Amino acid sequence: MAVDFEKIKNDFINADLDGKIRIYTTTQGLTVEQFRELLKYYPIKHLSKLEKALG
């Protein structure tokens, strides 16, 4: 199943913090590079919250 990375990225950019965490932790099928691209749009000051969600 192909993922529409541009749609995922746009949803991620426009999401609130909890939405960003939900998208990042539940989206499957992305490459490492695509996950890194999403992190460019994540507020670095809240990185610990994302790390906690990832376990």
Side-chain angles (χ1 to χ4, degrees):
M1 182 173 101
V3 294
D4 183 352
F5 180 67
E6 288 305 313
K7 180 182 181 330
I8 293 168
K9 185 168 88 170
N10 283 330
D11 290 348
F12 188 85
I13 290 169
N14 293 311
D16 62 10
L17 184 63
D18 288 334
K20 286 181 186 343
I21 291 171
R22 181 184 48 75
I23 292 167
Y24 197 88
T25 58
T26 62
T27 301
Q28 297 180 349
L30 297 183
T31 65
V32 171
E33 290 78 20
Q34 288 170 324
F35 277 114
R36 286 182 182 154
E37 177 76 16
L38 292 182
L39 283 179
K40 293 178 183 178
Y41 303 100
Y42 188 84
I44 198 75
K45 66 183 178 181
H46 296 291
L47 194 56
S48 62
K49 191 171 182 179
L50 178 61
E51 290 173 340
K52 188 174 183 179
L54 289 170

